[in-house]
Amino acid sequence: MTITEFIKSDVKAVLQAQGRLPYRLTLGAMSEHYKVSLTPVRHAIDELVEEGVIRRKDNGRLEAVPEALEGVVLESPKPDATESRLYDEIREEVIARSLNQDSEYLREQATAEQYGAGRTVVRQIFSRLAGAGLIEHVPRCGWRVRPFSEQDMHDYLDIREMLELKALELARGQFTDDELNQLLKANKPGKGAAKSELDFDLHDYWIERCGNRYIVEFFKRYSPFYNALFNYAVIDEKVKREMAREHCEIVECLLARDWKGARKALSSHIREQREAVSRMIEYLNAKETV
């Protein structure tokens, strides 16, 4: 079950049982309640609106429609924390193999024995990793890790910068101060001993609203693999703090309707990914020599 599916099912179950939700029906409040980024919340809301469980009022605010669930049989899901941890562990191993150009096939039974898990669970995790572009299934051979290529990364970032800047421009009319402020709240550079808060899905906000299906399809097809690497590259608080600061700079420019400043901040942020991945590779190489 994906995070989006869990949120949808939980919203329905709570509405049916209580007739109301224990939080404000906004992106920020739901993100904080479920302890996730804004993107899965946004997707869940869109699907709940389509199903009639939530409606958008004329002023853009959301309203629950508990009567839409009358007579509907629901089951309240319970996320499996153990499976979630296993997914993270296997994902980290796959990323490390990708960066190390490890061409050895992953096999379900061997991986299940390595982690003390069931083969069915491992197969489901491999399918999710394949959906993210990290591995691919080769019949009668197993699962092949996608090898990392530094040149491919540079080529991807060149195209990403052009298309994402275009998406930002096209999506201007779709931004609202309420949503931008929620994005700002989700990205907080840490101060002193306080840890930074970082929303890795910030970029989806303008990509999903740009109205250009070719741009959307490019990121849907190519970004999961590189996003997994870039997110994994946030190896310490210093890097995370700088990324949170860059995210805030972009959003603050959007709130001020400083389009030129937003483009400049976004361009600089994307180009920083090259250095982040380089630092990550150095970090992993250093760990291997210890």
Side-chain angles (χ1 to χ4, degrees):
M1 174 176 288
T2 65
I3 297 174
T4 295
E5 291 169 340
F6 170 74
I7 294 172
K8 278 181 56 184
S9 298
D10 190 62
V11 167
K12 290 179 181 179
V14 173
L15 280 177
Q16 191 177 67
Q18 304 178 16
R20 60 183 179 82
L21 296 171
Y23 45 77
R24 292 178 58 227
L25 200 48
T26 65
L27 284 173
M30 292 179 69
S31 176
E32 185 173 346
H33 177 79
Y34 290 106
K35 306 301 181 186
V36 299
S37 67
L38 297 176
T39 296
V41 173
R42 191 181 302 118
H43 291 165
I45 288 175
D46 288 343
E47 293 180 20
L48 288 166
V49 168
E50 186 175 341
E51 294 176 15
V53 178
I54 291 176
R55 70 166 65 102
R56 297 186 191 275
K57 300 196 288 187
D58 292 338
N59 61 5
R61 295 186 180 279
L62 300 170
E63 180 180 55
V65 188
E67 55 270 24
L69 297 169
E70 291 180 2
V72 178
V73 178
L74 300 173
E75 291 185 7
S76 184
K78 294 179 174 57
D80 189 337
T82 302
E83 184 175 337
S84 177
R85 287 194 298 271
L86 180 60
Y87 172 82
D88 290 340
E89 291 176 4
I90 295 177
R91 176 175 169 271
E92 287 197 13
E93 178 186 343
V94 166
I95 290 175
R97 287 191 177 206
S98 174
L99 292 167
N100 291 326
Q101 304 293 309
D102 187 341
S103 59
E104 183 179 350
Y105 282 94
L106 291 167
R107 300 188 183 279
E108 294 172 6
Q109 186 60 42
T111 303
E113 293 174 358
Q114 176 184 349
Y115 289 96
R119 185 169 178 174
T120 300
V121 172
V122 169
R123 184 182 299 118
Q124 292 172 346
I125 290 174
F126 281 175
S127 295
R128 290 174 61 189
L129 292 171
L134 289 168
I135 60 177
E136 63 175 334
H137 185 250
V138 180
R140 297 183 297 279
C141 292
W143 299 81
R144 180 167 54 199
V145 176
R146 177 177 175 181
F148 170 77
S149 164
E150 190 167 355
Q151 184 58 53
D152 284 351
M153 178 194 70
H154 291 309
D155 293 341
Y156 166 77
L157 287 174
D158 286 340
I159 302 302
R160 173 189 171 183
E161 183 178 356
M162 289 189 292
L163 292 183
E164 197 165 336
L165 289 173
K166 184 62 176 178
L168 187 70
E169 176 187 340
L170 294 173
R172 284 186 189 181
Q174 304 299 318
F175 300 153
T176 69
D177 285 354
D178 179 60
E179 290 177 338
L180 290 172
N181 278 312
Q182 295 298 339
L183 289 172
L184 194 62
K185 183 179 178 182
N187 292 275
K188 293 181 180 179
K191 295 182 180 180
K195 298 292 185 180
S196 300
E197 295 181 20
L198 187 61
D199 178 9
F200 286 114
D201 299 321
L202 171 78
H203 303 265
D204 291 340
Y205 182 68
W206 41 81
I207 291 171
E208 292 171 355
R209 286 163 173 71
C210 74
N212 185 310
R213 70 183 181 91
Y214 298 104
I215 293 178
V216 173
E217 288 176 4
F218 170 84
F219 285 102
K220 183 178 180 180
R221 179 174 180 180
Y222 296 108
S223 66
F225 173 72
Y226 290 101
N227 284 348
L229 296 182
F230 298 150
N231 296 348
Y232 187 71
V234 184
I235 56 181
D236 56 34
E237 174 60 23
K238 181 180 178 181
V239 176
K240 191 173 183 180
R241 185 172 301 177
E242 179 60 22
M243 288 188 69
R245 186 198 64 76
E246 292 170 358
H247 280 185
C248 289
E249 182 180 0
I250 298 169
V251 177
E252 286 166 353
C253 286
L254 294 177
L255 281 166
R257 302 302 186 262
D258 177 7
W259 308 119
K260 184 177 180 180
R263 284 178 58 86
K264 182 178 179 181
L266 176 58
S267 179
S268 176
H269 173 62
I270 293 174
R271 293 180 183 184
E272 280 291 316
Q273 302 303 310
R274 303 177 195 270
E275 185 178 345
V277 173
S278 296
R279 287 196 301 265
M280 173 180 61
I281 295 173
E282 292 176 2
Y283 171 75
L284 291 174
N285 289 338
K287 284 181 66 177
E288 288 185 356
T289 58
V290 173

